[in-house]
PDB file of all heavy atoms in Angstrom:
ATOM      1  N   SER A   1      22.939  47.294 -88.385  1.00  0.00           N
ATOM      2  CA  SER A   1      23.826  46.224 -88.020  1.00  0.00           C
ATOM      3  C   SER A   1      23.317  45.561 -86.703  1.00  0.00           C
ATOM      4  O   SER A   1      22.592  46.104 -85.906  1.00  0.00           O
ATOM      5  CB  SER A   1      25.238  46.793 -87.634  1.00  0.00           C
ATOM      6  OG  SER A   1      25.838  47.437 -88.826  1.00  0.00           O
ATOM      7  N   LEU A   2      23.734  44.311 -86.671  1.00  0.00           N
ATOM      8  CA  LEU A   2      23.497  43.465 -85.449  1.00  0.00           C
ATOM      9  C   LEU A   2      24.700  42.609 -85.101  1.00  0.00           C
ATOM     10  O   LEU A   2      25.479  42.250 -86.215  1.00  0.00           O
ATOM     11  CB  LEU A   2      22.172  42.660 -85.634  1.00  0.00           C
ATOM     12  CG  LEU A   2      20.939  43.164 -85.440  1.00  0.00           C
ATOM     13  CD1 LEU A   2      19.936  42.152 -85.754  1.00  0.00           C
ATOM     14  CD2 LEU A   2      20.576  43.885 -84.046  1.00  0.00           C
ATOM     15  N   ARG A   3      25.004  42.246 -83.838  1.00  0.00           N
ATOM     16  CA  ARG A   3      26.005  41.288 -83.558  1.00  0.00           C
ATOM     17  C   ARG A   3      25.410  40.167 -82.883  1.00  0.00           C
ATOM     18  O   ARG A   3      24.725  40.334 -81.772  1.00  0.00           O
ATOM     19  CB  ARG A   3      27.106  41.870 -82.783  1.00  0.00           C
ATOM     20  CG  ARG A   3      28.303  40.858 -82.654  1.00  0.00           C
ATOM     21  CD  ARG A   3      29.484  41.460 -81.930  1.00  0.00           C
ATOM     22  NE  ARG A   3      29.301  41.444 -80.451  1.00  0.00           N
ATOM     23  CZ  ARG A   3      30.263  41.488 -79.612  1.00  0.00           C
ATOM     24  NH1 ARG A   3      31.572  41.533 -79.967  1.00  0.00           N
ATOM     25  NH2 ARG A   3      30.045  41.481 -78.335  1.00  0.00           N
ATOM     26  N   LEU A   4      25.310  39.015 -83.370  1.00  0.00           N
ATOM     27  CA  LEU A   4      24.991  37.671 -82.846  1.00  0.00           C
ATOM     28  C   LEU A   4      26.047  37.095 -82.061  1.00  0.00           C
ATOM     29  O   LEU A   4      27.275  37.106 -82.411  1.00  0.00           O
ATOM     30  CB  LEU A   4      24.459  36.753 -83.836  1.00  0.00           C
ATOM     31  CG  LEU A   4      23.277  37.250 -84.712  1.00  0.00           C
ATOM     32  CD1 LEU A   4      22.792  36.190 -85.667  1.00  0.00           C
ATOM     33  CD2 LEU A   4      22.063  37.872 -84.107  1.00  0.00           C
ATOM     34  N   SER A   5      25.722  36.536 -80.823  1.00  0.00           N
ATOM     35  CA  SER A   5      26.564  35.676 -80.151  1.00  0.00           C
ATOM     36  C   SER A   5      26.087  34.317 -79.935  1.00  0.00           C
ATOM     37  O   SER A   5      24.960  34.033 -79.885  1.00  0.00           O
ATOM     38  CB  SER A   5      26.712  36.360 -78.698  1.00  0.00           C
ATOM     39  OG  SER A   5      27.177  37.640 -78.737  1.00  0.00           O
ATOM     40  N   CYS A   6      27.164  33.349 -80.042  1.00  0.00           N
ATOM     41  CA  CYS A   6      26.744  31.996 -79.608  1.00  0.00           C
ATOM     42  C   CYS A   6      27.711  31.484 -78.596  1.00  0.00           C
ATOM     43  O   CYS A   6      28.887  31.433 -78.718  1.00  0.00           O
ATOM     44  CB  CYS A   6      27.117  31.193 -80.939  1.00  0.00           C
ATOM     45  SG  CYS A   6      26.965  29.406 -80.677  1.00  0.00           S
ATOM     46  N   THR A   7      27.082  31.233 -77.394  1.00  0.00           N
ATOM     47  CA  THR A   7      27.879  30.849 -76.207  1.00  0.00           C
ATOM     48  C   THR A   7      27.716  29.312 -75.974  1.00  0.00           C
ATOM     49  O   THR A   7      26.604  28.852 -75.881  1.00  0.00           O
ATOM     50  CB  THR A   7      27.417  31.679 -74.983  1.00  0.00           C
ATOM     51  OG1 THR A   7      27.605  33.074 -75.245  1.00  0.00           O
ATOM     52  CG2 THR A   7      28.322  31.257 -73.850  1.00  0.00           C
ATOM     53  N   ALA A   8      28.865  28.759 -75.851  1.00  0.00           N
ATOM     54  CA  ALA A   8      28.808  27.228 -75.727  1.00  0.00           C
ATOM     55  C   ALA A   8      29.145  26.898 -74.243  1.00  0.00           C
ATOM     56  O   ALA A   8      30.005  27.528 -73.535  1.00  0.00           O
ATOM     57  CB  ALA A   8      29.807  26.619 -76.586  1.00  0.00           C
ATOM     58  N   SER A   9      28.519  25.747 -73.873  1.00  0.00           N
ATOM     59  CA  SER A   9      28.887  25.225 -72.515  1.00  0.00           C
ATOM     60  C   SER A   9      28.856  23.710 -72.740  1.00  0.00           C
ATOM     61  O   SER A   9      28.235  23.136 -73.553  1.00  0.00           O
ATOM     62  CB  SER A   9      27.888  25.611 -71.455  1.00  0.00           C
ATOM     63  OG  SER A   9      26.495  25.181 -71.801  1.00  0.00           O
ATOM     64  N   GLY A  10      29.560  23.052 -71.750  1.00  0.00           N
ATOM     65  CA  GLY A  10      29.564  21.572 -71.781  1.00  0.00           C
ATOM     66  C   GLY A  10      30.675  21.025 -72.611  1.00  0.00           C
ATOM     67  O   GLY A  10      30.937  19.762 -72.584  1.00  0.00           O
ATOM     68  N   PHE A  11      31.593  21.809 -73.270  1.00  0.00           N
ATOM     69  CA  PHE A  11      32.663  21.352 -73.974  1.00  0.00           C
ATOM     70  C   PHE A  11      33.629  22.514 -74.178  1.00  0.00           C
ATOM     71  O   PHE A  11      33.283  23.714 -73.986  1.00  0.00           O
ATOM     72  CB  PHE A  11      32.298  20.875 -75.434  1.00  0.00           C
ATOM     73  CG  PHE A  11      31.692  21.854 -76.335  1.00  0.00           C
ATOM     74  CD1 PHE A  11      32.444  22.665 -77.202  1.00  0.00           C
ATOM     75  CD2 PHE A  11      30.282  21.868 -76.456  1.00  0.00           C
ATOM     76  CE1 PHE A  11      31.901  23.504 -78.021  1.00  0.00           C
ATOM     77  CE2 PHE A  11      29.648  22.908 -77.281  1.00  0.00           C
ATOM     78  CZ  PHE A  11      30.516  23.681 -78.117  1.00  0.00           C
ATOM     79  N   THR A  12      34.897  22.080 -74.473  1.00  0.00           N
ATOM     80  CA  THR A  12      35.887  23.209 -74.673  1.00  0.00           C
ATOM     81  C   THR A  12      35.945  23.659 -76.139  1.00  0.00           C
ATOM     82  O   THR A  12      36.190  22.932 -77.045  1.00  0.00           O
ATOM     83  CB  THR A  12      37.207  22.536 -74.325  1.00  0.00           C
ATOM     84  OG1 THR A  12      37.317  22.073 -72.997  1.00  0.00           O
ATOM     85  CG2 THR A  12      38.389  23.685 -74.449  1.00  0.00           C
ATOM     86  N   ALA A  13      35.668  24.935 -76.246  1.00  0.00           N
ATOM     87  CA  ALA A  13      35.591  25.505 -77.572  1.00  0.00           C
ATOM     88  C   ALA A  13      36.652  25.267 -78.451  1.00  0.00           C
ATOM     89  O   ALA A  13      36.670  25.281 -79.652  1.00  0.00           O
ATOM     90  CB  ALA A  13      35.187  26.918 -77.478  1.00  0.00           C
ATOM     91  N   ASP A  14      37.861  25.162 -77.843  1.00  0.00           N
ATOM     92  CA  ASP A  14      39.140  25.144 -78.722  1.00  0.00           C
ATOM     93  C   ASP A  14      39.085  23.930 -79.599  1.00  0.00           C
ATOM     94  O   ASP A  14      39.668  23.862 -80.650  1.00  0.00           O
ATOM     95  CB  ASP A  14      40.378  24.861 -77.739  1.00  0.00           C
ATOM     96  CG  ASP A  14      40.408  25.995 -76.730  1.00  0.00           C
ATOM     97  OD1 ASP A  14      39.412  26.265 -76.044  1.00  0.00           O
ATOM     98  OD2 ASP A  14      41.578  26.528 -76.551  1.00  0.00           O
ATOM     99  N   TYR A  15      38.321  22.887 -79.332  1.00  0.00           N
ATOM    100  CA  TYR A  15      38.338  21.699 -80.246  1.00  0.00           C
ATOM    101  C   TYR A  15      37.087  21.593 -81.171  1.00  0.00           C
ATOM    102  O   TYR A  15      36.837  20.625 -81.778  1.00  0.00           O
ATOM    103  CB  TYR A  15      38.358  20.448 -79.306  1.00  0.00           C
ATOM    104  CG  TYR A  15      39.649  20.302 -78.633  1.00  0.00           C
ATOM    105  CD1 TYR A  15      39.776  20.809 -77.273  1.00  0.00           C
ATOM    106  CD2 TYR A  15      40.773  19.711 -79.251  1.00  0.00           C
ATOM    107  CE1 TYR A  15      41.019  20.565 -76.717  1.00  0.00           C
ATOM    108  CE2 TYR A  15      41.964  19.593 -78.615  1.00  0.00           C
ATOM    109  CZ  TYR A  15      42.111  20.121 -77.353  1.00  0.00           C
ATOM    110  OH  TYR A  15      43.331  20.024 -76.757  1.00  0.00           O
ATOM    111  N   TYR A  16      36.292  22.707 -81.186  1.00  0.00           N
ATOM    112  CA  TYR A  16      35.041  22.617 -81.977  1.00  0.00           C
ATOM    113  C   TYR A  16      35.050  23.645 -83.071  1.00  0.00           C
ATOM    114  O   TYR A  16      35.366  24.784 -82.907  1.00  0.00           O
ATOM    115  CB  TYR A  16      33.812  22.804 -81.017  1.00  0.00           C
ATOM    116  CG  TYR A  16      33.622  21.563 -80.224  1.00  0.00           C
ATOM    117  CD1 TYR A  16      34.295  21.144 -79.246  1.00  0.00           C
ATOM    118  CD2 TYR A  16      32.523  20.645 -80.654  1.00  0.00           C
ATOM    119  CE1 TYR A  16      34.111  19.871 -78.590  1.00  0.00           C
ATOM    120  CE2 TYR A  16      32.301  19.524 -80.121  1.00  0.00           C
ATOM    121  CZ  TYR A  16      33.094  19.167 -78.908  1.00  0.00           C
ATOM    122  OH  TYR A  16      32.796  17.949 -78.310  1.00  0.00           O
ATOM    123  N   ILE A  17      34.527  23.283 -84.094  1.00  0.00           N
ATOM    124  CA  ILE A  17      34.208  24.129 -85.272  1.00  0.00           C
ATOM    125  C   ILE A  17      32.766  24.588 -85.065  1.00  0.00           C
ATOM    126  O   ILE A  17      31.859  23.799 -84.623  1.00  0.00           O
ATOM    127  CB  ILE A  17      34.182  23.347 -86.763  1.00  0.00           C
ATOM    128  CG1 ILE A  17      35.508  22.746 -86.996  1.00  0.00           C
ATOM    129  CG2 ILE A  17      33.686  24.169 -87.828  1.00  0.00           C
ATOM    130  CD1 ILE A  17      35.599  21.704 -88.034  1.00  0.00           C
ATOM    131  N   ILE A  18      32.478  25.938 -85.313  1.00  0.00           N
ATOM    132  CA  ILE A  18      31.231  26.585 -85.134  1.00  0.00           C
ATOM    133  C   ILE A  18      30.721  27.014 -86.457  1.00  0.00           C
ATOM    134  O   ILE A  18      31.435  27.775 -87.183  1.00  0.00           O
ATOM    135  CB  ILE A  18      31.315  27.651 -84.160  1.00  0.00           C
ATOM    136  CG1 ILE A  18      31.976  27.231 -82.880  1.00  0.00           C
ATOM    137  CG2 ILE A  18      29.883  28.309 -83.966  1.00  0.00           C
ATOM    138  CD1 ILE A  18      30.976  26.265 -82.027  1.00  0.00           C
ATOM    139  N   GLY A  19      29.474  26.860 -86.807  1.00  0.00           N
ATOM    140  CA  GLY A  19      28.856  27.368 -87.987  1.00  0.00           C
ATOM    141  C   GLY A  19      27.599  28.195 -87.618  1.00  0.00           C
ATOM    142  O   GLY A  19      26.959  28.023 -86.607  1.00  0.00           O
ATOM    143  N   TRP A  20      27.346  29.118 -88.525  1.00  0.00           N
ATOM    144  CA  TRP A  20      26.056  29.922 -88.327  1.00  0.00           C
ATOM    145  C   TRP A  20      25.214  29.565 -89.436  1.00  0.00           C
ATOM    146  O   TRP A  20      25.599  29.570 -90.659  1.00  0.00           O
ATOM    147  CB  TRP A  20      26.361  31.470 -88.364  1.00  0.00           C
ATOM    148  CG  TRP A  20      26.806  31.957 -86.986  1.00  0.00           C
ATOM    149  CD1 TRP A  20      28.100  32.224 -86.602  1.00  0.00           C
ATOM    150  CD2 TRP A  20      25.987  32.427 -85.984  1.00  0.00           C
ATOM    151  NE1 TRP A  20      28.122  32.859 -85.376  1.00  0.00           N
ATOM    152  CE2 TRP A  20      26.819  32.868 -84.805  1.00  0.00           C
ATOM    153  CE3 TRP A  20      24.599  32.276 -85.674  1.00  0.00           C
ATOM    154  CZ2 TRP A  20      26.326  33.256 -83.680  1.00  0.00           C
ATOM    155  CZ3 TRP A  20      24.096  32.643 -84.460  1.00  0.00           C
ATOM    156  CH2 TRP A  20      24.840  33.087 -83.454  1.00  0.00           C
ATOM    157  N   PHE A  21      24.007  29.342 -89.229  1.00  0.00           N
ATOM    158  CA  PHE A  21      22.942  28.991 -90.229  1.00  0.00           C
ATOM    159  C   PHE A  21      21.740  29.898 -90.134  1.00  0.00           C
ATOM    160  O   PHE A  21      21.478  30.573 -89.055  1.00  0.00           O
ATOM    161  CB  PHE A  21      22.530  27.573 -90.005  1.00  0.00           C
ATOM    162  CG  PHE A  21      23.513  26.536 -90.241  1.00  0.00           C
ATOM    163  CD1 PHE A  21      24.591  26.371 -89.258  1.00  0.00           C
ATOM    164  CD2 PHE A  21      23.617  25.751 -91.395  1.00  0.00           C
ATOM    165  CE1 PHE A  21      25.599  25.400 -89.579  1.00  0.00           C
ATOM    166  CE2 PHE A  21      24.560  24.838 -91.703  1.00  0.00           C
ATOM    167  CZ  PHE A  21      25.525  24.620 -90.749  1.00  0.00           C
ATOM    168  N   ARG A  22      21.091  30.008 -91.245  1.00  0.00           N
ATOM    169  CA  ARG A  22      19.918  30.879 -91.359  1.00  0.00           C
ATOM    170  C   ARG A  22      18.785  30.200 -92.032  1.00  0.00           C
ATOM    171  O   ARG A  22      18.910  29.547 -93.016  1.00  0.00           O
ATOM    172  CB  ARG A  22      20.248  32.240 -92.156  1.00  0.00           C
ATOM    173  CG  ARG A  22      19.131  33.128 -92.436  1.00  0.00           C
ATOM    174  CD  ARG A  22      19.663  34.473 -93.051  1.00  0.00           C
ATOM    175  NE  ARG A  22      19.970  34.221 -94.364  1.00  0.00           N
ATOM    176  CZ  ARG A  22      20.782  35.062 -95.170  1.00  0.00           C
ATOM    177  NH1 ARG A  22      21.150  36.149 -94.436  1.00  0.00           N
ATOM    178  NH2 ARG A  22      21.180  34.949 -96.318  1.00  0.00           N
ATOM    179  N   GLN A  23      17.545  30.390 -91.486  1.00  0.00           N
ATOM    180  CA  GLN A  23      16.355  29.837 -91.954  1.00  0.00           C
ATOM    181  C   GLN A  23      15.300  30.927 -92.234  1.00  0.00           C
ATOM    182  O   GLN A  23      14.779  31.445 -91.142  1.00  0.00           O
ATOM    183  CB  GLN A  23      15.871  28.671 -91.144  1.00  0.00           C
ATOM    184  CG  GLN A  23      14.747  27.857 -91.856  1.00  0.00           C
ATOM    185  CD  GLN A  23      14.547  26.505 -91.258  1.00  0.00           C
ATOM    186  OE1 GLN A  23      14.919  26.256 -90.072  1.00  0.00           O
ATOM    187  NE2 GLN A  23      13.849  25.679 -91.931  1.00  0.00           N
ATOM    188  N   ALA A  24      15.084  31.265 -93.481  1.00  0.00           N
ATOM    189  CA  ALA A  24      14.035  32.195 -93.709  1.00  0.00           C
ATOM    190  C   ALA A  24      12.735  31.553 -93.899  1.00  0.00           C
ATOM    191  O   ALA A  24      12.745  30.294 -94.062  1.00  0.00           O
ATOM    192  CB  ALA A  24      14.467  32.801 -95.120  1.00  0.00           C
ATOM    193  N   PRO A  25      11.722  32.246 -93.686  1.00  0.00           N
ATOM    194  CA  PRO A  25      10.331  31.571 -93.733  1.00  0.00           C
ATOM    195  C   PRO A  25      10.174  30.933 -95.074  1.00  0.00           C
ATOM    196  O   PRO A  25      10.330  31.442 -96.117  1.00  0.00           O
ATOM    197  CB  PRO A  25       9.363  32.827 -93.673  1.00  0.00           C
ATOM    198  CG  PRO A  25      10.149  33.804 -92.905  1.00  0.00           C
ATOM    199  CD  PRO A  25      11.521  33.665 -93.359  1.00  0.00           C
ATOM    200  N   GLY A  26       9.667  29.673 -95.025  1.00  0.00           N
ATOM    201  CA  GLY A  26       9.366  28.887 -96.124  1.00  0.00           C
ATOM    202  C   GLY A  26      10.660  28.346 -96.796  1.00  0.00           C
ATOM    203  O   GLY A  26      10.500  27.712 -97.986  1.00  0.00           O
ATOM    204  N   LYS A  27      11.748  28.553 -96.270  1.00  0.00           N
ATOM    205  CA  LYS A  27      13.067  28.153 -97.043  1.00  0.00           C
ATOM    206  C   LYS A  27      13.836  27.109 -96.096  1.00  0.00           C
ATOM    207  O   LYS A  27      13.640  26.977 -94.908  1.00  0.00           O
ATOM    208  CB  LYS A  27      13.843  29.291 -97.392  1.00  0.00           C
ATOM    209  CG  LYS A  27      13.250  30.244 -98.289  1.00  0.00           C
ATOM    210  CD  LYS A  27      14.306  31.318 -98.884  1.00  0.00           C
ATOM    211  CE  LYS A  27      13.648  32.137 -99.883  1.00  0.00           C
ATOM    212  NZ  LYS A  27      14.683  33.177-100.417  1.00  0.00           N
ATOM    213  N   GLU A  28      14.817  26.358 -96.739  1.00  0.00           N
ATOM    214  CA  GLU A  28      15.603  25.492 -95.892  1.00  0.00           C
ATOM    215  C   GLU A  28      16.635  26.275 -95.235  1.00  0.00           C
ATOM    216  O   GLU A  28      16.971  27.349 -95.638  1.00  0.00           O
ATOM    217  CB  GLU A  28      16.334  24.542 -96.994  1.00  0.00           C
ATOM    218  CG  GLU A  28      15.241  23.604 -97.562  1.00  0.00           C
ATOM    219  CD  GLU A  28      16.000  22.382 -98.359  1.00  0.00           C
ATOM    220  OE1 GLU A  28      17.242  22.499 -98.333  1.00  0.00           O
ATOM    221  OE2 GLU A  28      15.331  21.515 -98.832  1.00  0.00           O
ATOM    222  N   ARG A  29      17.168  25.560 -94.216  1.00  0.00           N
ATOM    223  CA  ARG A  29      18.160  26.206 -93.376  1.00  0.00           C
ATOM    224  C   ARG A  29      19.517  26.196 -94.198  1.00  0.00           C
ATOM    225  O   ARG A  29      19.906  25.021 -94.642  1.00  0.00           O
ATOM    226  CB  ARG A  29      18.327  25.279 -92.113  1.00  0.00           C
ATOM    227  CG  ARG A  29      19.245  26.073 -91.092  1.00  0.00           C
ATOM    228  CD  ARG A  29      19.199  25.270 -89.773  1.00  0.00           C
ATOM    229  NE  ARG A  29      17.840  25.081 -89.226  1.00  0.00           N
ATOM    230  CZ  ARG A  29      17.639  24.598 -88.033  1.00  0.00           C
ATOM    231  NH1 ARG A  29      18.504  24.173 -87.263  1.00  0.00           N
ATOM    232  NH2 ARG A  29      16.279  24.468 -87.642  1.00  0.00           N
ATOM    233  N   GLU A  30      20.193  27.354 -94.300  1.00  0.00           N
ATOM    234  CA  GLU A  30      21.304  27.296 -95.145  1.00  0.00           C
ATOM    235  C   GLU A  30      22.550  27.785 -94.256  1.00  0.00           C
ATOM    236  O   GLU A  30      22.327  28.625 -93.318  1.00  0.00           O
ATOM    237  CB  GLU A  30      21.165  28.431 -96.214  1.00  0.00           C
ATOM    238  CG  GLU A  30      20.953  29.833 -95.847  1.00  0.00           C
ATOM    239  CD  GLU A  30      20.997  30.781 -96.843  1.00  0.00           C
ATOM    240  OE1 GLU A  30      21.736  30.590 -97.893  1.00  0.00           O
ATOM    241  OE2 GLU A  30      20.348  31.957 -96.763  1.00  0.00           O
ATOM    242  N   GLY A  31      23.723  27.332 -94.542  1.00  0.00           N
ATOM    243  CA  GLY A  31      24.910  27.702 -93.830  1.00  0.00           C
ATOM    244  C   GLY A  31      25.379  28.926 -94.429  1.00  0.00           C
ATOM    245  O   GLY A  31      25.672  29.077 -95.607  1.00  0.00           O
ATOM    246  N   ILE A  32      25.656  30.006 -93.543  1.00  0.00           N
ATOM    247  CA  ILE A  32      26.042  31.205 -94.049  1.00  0.00           C
ATOM    248  C   ILE A  32      27.431  31.596 -93.645  1.00  0.00           C
ATOM    249  O   ILE A  32      28.156  32.427 -94.322  1.00  0.00           O
ATOM    250  CB  ILE A  32      25.102  32.445 -93.556  1.00  0.00           C
ATOM    251  CG1 ILE A  32      24.948  32.414 -92.016  1.00  0.00           C
ATOM    252  CG2 ILE A  32      23.695  32.235 -94.300  1.00  0.00           C
ATOM    253  CD1 ILE A  32      24.218  33.691 -91.546  1.00  0.00           C
ATOM    254  N   SER A  33      27.976  31.016 -92.599  1.00  0.00           N
ATOM    255  CA  SER A  33      29.318  31.285 -92.165  1.00  0.00           C
ATOM    256  C   SER A  33      29.907  30.041 -91.251  1.00  0.00           C
ATOM    257  O   SER A  33      29.058  29.387 -90.602  1.00  0.00           O
ATOM    258  CB  SER A  33      29.447  32.631 -91.508  1.00  0.00           C
ATOM    259  OG  SER A  33      30.764  32.895 -91.263  1.00  0.00           O
ATOM    260  N   CYS A  34      31.157  30.024 -91.163  1.00  0.00           N
ATOM    261  CA  CYS A  34      31.675  29.063 -90.197  1.00  0.00           C
ATOM    262  C   CYS A  34      33.068  29.471 -89.852  1.00  0.00           C
ATOM    263  O   CYS A  34      33.740  30.373 -90.519  1.00  0.00           O
ATOM    264  CB  CYS A  34      31.735  27.603 -90.766  1.00  0.00           C
ATOM    265  SG  CYS A  34      32.889  27.445 -92.202  1.00  0.00           S
TER     266      CYS A  34
END
């Protein structure tokens, strides 16, 4: 297991949608969660 963190600055997080994307070697970046 791992836990990734995404810390935002410069805006108020309450008004923003966040997505996680993954890019494997040789592949396109894909959206895995939001």
Side-chain angles (χ1 to χ4, degrees):
S1 298
L2 284 174
R3 188 177 80 157
L4 305 184
S5 298
C6 171
T7 301
S9 61
F11 64 87
T12 303
D14 305 50
Y15 292 95
Y16 282 78
I17 298 168
I18 304 293
W20 279 102
F21 293 76
R22 174 173 71 196
Q23 188 162 19
K27 294 189 177 181
E28 291 191 356
R29 195 173 300 187
E30 62 170 333
I32 57 171
S33 186
C34 65

